[in-house]
């Protein structure tokens, strides 16, 4: 009876393999190392059935987290996942997987990744002890398992290999309006574009975020006003595969004619080719890619190099500020102007600790303050806050101030720095059309004979007194 069961098992296994052997090998991935992701690809000339055989980690494996999947090259959608295949127990925490799937005509990318369980399952101190114990007492087990990992796809089609997939990616980037993708750690990239007509744009962005913050993400600004017209967050994205912190946005937005810039920033870990946890389903497009929804409208679009908000007509530059600084600068506008205020500072829970403000030099009234509720995340730690706005200032004289507290500042960060650390502080530049350097000058404070008494610039542990007299009853302004 036992011999009969063994014979049936051999026949069942053979029933899968010979049929596959008569077909082409469309993808073949072997020996996947820890913290590695391998890629292959194939194309089908019409709807066909493919067969898949893999050796990967079993559901009960403690050390190894593996995943395999197939992407449609054009839509970037996952069309198959290993976890949907039937599983047979193999050995040492591994299992054999077999599956058949019918795919339409098209081009397909095949992925296989292997990451230690640390990436996903170490959630407590007990988990950490188990993880380290396995590493100490079974140091070679994972390496042996890696030699056995494999994924082979059979069918009638054409294999393109890893190089062919790379060429596909390059074609997709070149055909896009903007493609800031395959980004690495500590990247901050920008691309300007002009829409000569209103149009719909499709956005495809992959980054890192959770409920506590957004760490690798993109946004689009109107370069004339400095206002954000779109931003990637945890709340407008969905899981992108792999680690839970991998997020993806795929949506269409409508923008009026105008001048825009797409930006993307990454923090110091978990990015393309340097994942510290299981990668997303579409790792090569970590970043943002923008396309014109209606290809016929593409002739009304052009791109340009966008260098940021400080292109020209810089009026005030109080940046690169360190701990415990109190800086100010005054200027005079000889005609009304629109002025961009770009400020980065520290704030949390509704309060600002490093922040700026602007006053009218004549009457010392505040005309603008960096309020927490008007700031946006500036990258890095959540307490890095940013304002990028445009103010209309009348002809007159103004004083700009910025103050920092005793920690977390330029070149002395106590948490992850912002994506633009060089501009920690505040800067102003004129953005009005036709503005010229002669339209602004340094402010020269003249003696105001109407001032009866003045006590300003008071430091610590000071006590000052000023007196004045009135010849008759008068209203005074304090």
């Amino acid at each position: 009876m036992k011999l009969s069961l063994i014979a049936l098992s051999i026949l069942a296994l053979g029933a899968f393999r010979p049929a596959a052997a008569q077909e082409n090998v469309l993808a073949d991935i072997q020996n996947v190392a820890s913290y590695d992701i391998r890629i292959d690809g194939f194309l089908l000339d019409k709807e066909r059935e493919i067969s898949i055989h893999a050796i990967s980690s079993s559901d009960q494996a403690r050390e190894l987290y593996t995943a395999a999947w197939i992407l449609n090259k054009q839509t970037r959608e996952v069309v198959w996942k290993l976890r949907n295949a039937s599983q047979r127990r193999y050995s040492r925490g591994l299992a054999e997987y077999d599956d058949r799937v019918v795919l339409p005509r098209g081009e397909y990318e095949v992925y296989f990744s292997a990451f230690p369980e640390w990436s996903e399952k170490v959630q407590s101190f007990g988990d950490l002890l188990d993880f380290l114990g396995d590493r100490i007492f079974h140091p070679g087990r994972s390496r042996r398992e890696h030699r056995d990992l494999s994924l082979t796809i059979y069918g009638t089609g054409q294999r393109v290999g890893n190089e062919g997939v790379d060429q596909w990616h390059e074609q997709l980037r070149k055909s896009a309006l903007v493609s800031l993708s395959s980004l690495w750690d500590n990247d901050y990239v920008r691309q300007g574009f002009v829409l000569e007509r209103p149009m719909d744009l499709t956005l495809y962005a992959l980054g890192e975020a959770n409920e506590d913050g957004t760490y690798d993400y993109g946004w689009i600004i109107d370069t004339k006003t400095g206002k954000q017209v779109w931003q990637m967050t945890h709340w407008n994205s969905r899981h992108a595969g792999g680690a839970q912190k991998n997020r993806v946005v795929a949506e269409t937005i409508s923008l009026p004619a105008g001048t825009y810039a797409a930006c993307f920033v990454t923090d110091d870990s978990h990015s393309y080719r340097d994942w510290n946890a299981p990668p997303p389903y579409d790792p090569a497009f970590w970043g943002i890619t923008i396309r014109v929804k209606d290809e016929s409208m593409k002739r009304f679009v052009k791109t340009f190099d966008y260098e940021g908000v400080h292109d020209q007509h810089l009026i005030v530059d109080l940046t690169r500020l360190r701990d415990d600084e109190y800086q100010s600068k005054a200027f005079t506008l000889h005609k009304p102007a629109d002025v961009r205020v770009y400020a980065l500072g520290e704030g949390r829970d509704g309060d600002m600790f490093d922040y700026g403000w602007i006053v009218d030099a004549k009457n010392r009234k505040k005309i603008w303050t960096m309020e927490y509720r008007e700031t946006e995340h500036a990258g890095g730690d959540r307490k890095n806050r940013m304002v990028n706005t445009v103010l209309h200032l009348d002809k007159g004289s103004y004083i700009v101030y910025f103050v920092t507290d005793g920690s977390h500042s330029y070149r002395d960060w106590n948490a992850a720095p912002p994506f633009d650390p060089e501009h920690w502080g505040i800067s102003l530049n004129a953005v009005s059309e036709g503005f010229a350097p002669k339209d602004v000058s340094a402010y020269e404070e003249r003696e105001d004979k109407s001032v009866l008494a003045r006590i300003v610039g008071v430091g610590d542990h000071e006590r000052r007194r000023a007196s004045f007299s009135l010849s008759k009853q008068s209203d005074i302004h304090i």
Side-chain angles (χ1 to χ4, degrees):
M1 181 66 177
K2 290 182 178 179
L3 289 174
S4 298
L5 288 174
I6 293 172
L8 286 172
S9 298
I10 293 173
L11 287 172
L13 182 60
F16 177 82
R17 292 293 181 79
Q22 297 171 8
E23 300 174 315
N24 298 331
V25 173
L26 299 180
D28 189 30
I29 296 174
Q30 306 286 334
N31 303 321
V32 183
S34 182
Y35 288 104
D36 193 13
I37 178 170
R38 301 279 294 281
I39 304 173
D40 207 332
F42 62 92
L43 57 86
L44 302 177
D45 60 351
K46 64 179 181 179
E47 181 179 285
R48 294 187 184 275
E49 182 182 70
I50 62 171
S51 55
I52 305 167
H53 179 73
I55 297 176
S56 186
S57 60
S58 68
D59 294 338
Q60 293 77 32
R62 289 180 57 81
E63 279 190 66
L64 203 59
Y65 178 94
T66 59
W69 62 95
I70 301 175
L71 275 184
N72 182 299
K73 170 237 178 178
Q74 198 63 38
T75 66
R76 314 311 296 166
E77 292 293 329
V78 177
V79 298
W80 176 84
K81 298 176 185 177
L82 179 67
R83 68 185 184 189
N84 296 331
S86 60
Q87 178 186 145
R88 295 193 305 276
R89 192 62 183 268
Y90 187 61
S91 65
R92 300 193 303 274
L94 298 179
E96 282 191 293
Y97 295 81
D98 293 322
D99 204 1
R100 292 181 181 275
V101 60
V102 176
L103 295 177
R105 174 183 177 179
E107 297 129 330
Y108 297 93
E109 302 170 17
V110 183
Y111 293 82
F112 195 119
S113 70
F115 280 73
E117 280 296 295
W118 173 271
S119 304
E120 287 284 276
K121 300 294 179 64
V122 179
Q123 302 292 337
S124 66
F125 185 68
D127 292 338
L128 175 61
L129 293 179
D130 289 342
F131 177 83
L132 295 177
D134 283 339
R135 285 291 183 265
I136 294 171
F137 297 109
H138 306 284
R141 185 167 69 185
S142 180
R143 288 194 292 272
R144 290 195 301 272
E145 289 173 348
H146 289 162
R147 287 198 298 269
D148 293 333
L149 297 177
S150 66
L151 173 69
T152 307
I153 299 177
Y154 304 91
T156 303
Q158 179 182 343
R159 183 181 180 184
V160 300
N162 181 63
E163 292 183 358
V165 174
D166 287 342
Q167 291 175 5
W168 287 347
H169 292 165
E170 188 60 25
Q171 292 168 3
L172 289 170
R173 294 187 187 100
K174 288 181 178 179
S175 65
L177 168 60
V178 172
S179 187
L180 307 174
S181 58
S182 298
L183 301 184
W184 290 39
D185 294 343
N186 297 311
D187 265 341
Y188 175 39
V189 291
R190 298 163 288 190
Q191 176 65 62
F193 60 95
V194 179
L195 304 182
E196 297 176 354
R197 294 187 181 182
M199 65 184 67
D200 294 335
L201 302 178
T202 60
L203 308 181
Y204 183 57
L206 286 96
E208 178 185 4
N210 55 36
E211 293 184 2
D212 296 327
T214 310
Y215 309 104
D216 294 10
Y217 65 101
W219 65 98
I220 300 174
I221 64 168
D222 182 319
T223 60
K224 184 175 182 180
T225 65
K227 291 293 185 181
Q228 285 192 0
V229 298
W230 177 86
Q231 181 177 338
M232 178 182 182
T233 69
H234 176 266
W235 307 109
N236 69 353
S237 61
R238 56 182 169 83
H239 183 220
Q244 286 299 317
K245 62 185 178 180
N246 298 328
R247 308 295 295 179
V248 61
V249 175
E251 64 175 300
T252 299
I253 64 171
S254 298
L255 291 180
T259 305
Y260 302 91
C263 308
F264 204 95
V265 62
T266 64
D267 65 3
D268 59 354
S269 64
H270 193 67
S271 63
Y272 182 61
R273 293 187 182 175
D274 193 19
W275 312 105
N276 62 17
Y281 290 138
D282 199 359
F285 283 87
W286 192 260
I288 184 171
T289 300
I290 304 174
R291 297 180 179 278
V292 178
K293 186 175 182 181
D294 182 353
E295 285 293 319
S296 67
M297 297 290 286
K298 204 168 184 179
R299 66 183 185 275
F300 301 112
V301 180
K302 59 183 179 181
T303 60
F304 66 95
D305 292 334
Y306 176 69
E307 299 299 333
V309 298
H310 309 291
D311 296 335
Q312 58 184 349
H313 303 318
L314 187 63
I315 298 174
V316 172
D317 185 12
L318 301 177
T319 57
R320 300 179 180 85
L321 299 189
R322 308 296 294 271
D323 293 343
D324 298 313
E325 292 222 48
Y326 180 78
Q327 297 284 341
S328 65
K329 184 174 182 180
F331 64 94
T332 297
L333 286 178
H334 301 297
K335 68 177 186 179
D338 292 332
V339 176
R340 187 190 309 281
V341 180
Y342 184 55
L344 280 80
E346 179 186 7
R348 185 190 296 113
D349 300 328
D351 294 320
M352 294 298 301
F353 311 115
D354 296 6
Y355 62 97
W357 66 97
I358 303 172
V359 303
D360 186 309
K362 184 176 181 180
N363 56 30
R364 291 310 199 264
K365 287 184 179 180
K366 275 187 183 179
I367 62 170
W368 178 84
T369 304
M370 188 178 180
E371 300 283 358
Y372 183 90
R373 65 178 180 272
E374 297 175 357
T375 64
E376 300 167 349
H377 182 215
D381 194 86
R382 290 299 301 175
K383 65 183 178 181
N384 298 325
R385 310 304 299 175
M386 175 182 72
V387 169
N388 184 3
T389 189
V390 173
L391 302 177
H392 179 78
L393 298 182
D394 293 328
K395 176 182 177 180
S397 297
Y398 302 90
I399 308 175
V400 181
Y401 296 88
F402 203 92
V403 63
T404 65
D405 66 2
S407 64
H408 193 71
S409 63
Y410 180 62
R411 290 187 175 176
D412 193 17
W413 315 104
N414 61 18
F419 62 76
D420 192 6
E422 299 292 319
H423 290 101
W424 193 260
I426 188 171
S427 58
L428 275 67
N429 70 304
V431 294
S432 297
E433 292 185 8
F435 190 89
K438 63 181 178 60
D439 297 329
V440 64
S441 63
Y443 171 62
E444 297 180 4
E445 188 167 11
R446 297 180 176 86
E447 182 181 358
D448 188 346
K449 295 182 179 179
S450 67
V451 173
L452 301 174
R454 184 195 301 272
I455 301 176
V456 296
V458 180
D460 293 338
H461 307 295
E462 285 198 61
R463 181 177 181 180
R464 297 190 195 177
R465 177 182 298 174
S467 61
F468 63 93
S469 61
L470 296 175
S471 59
K472 63 179 181 179
Q473 182 174 321
S474 303
D475 292 334
I476 63 172
H477 176 255
I478 301 174

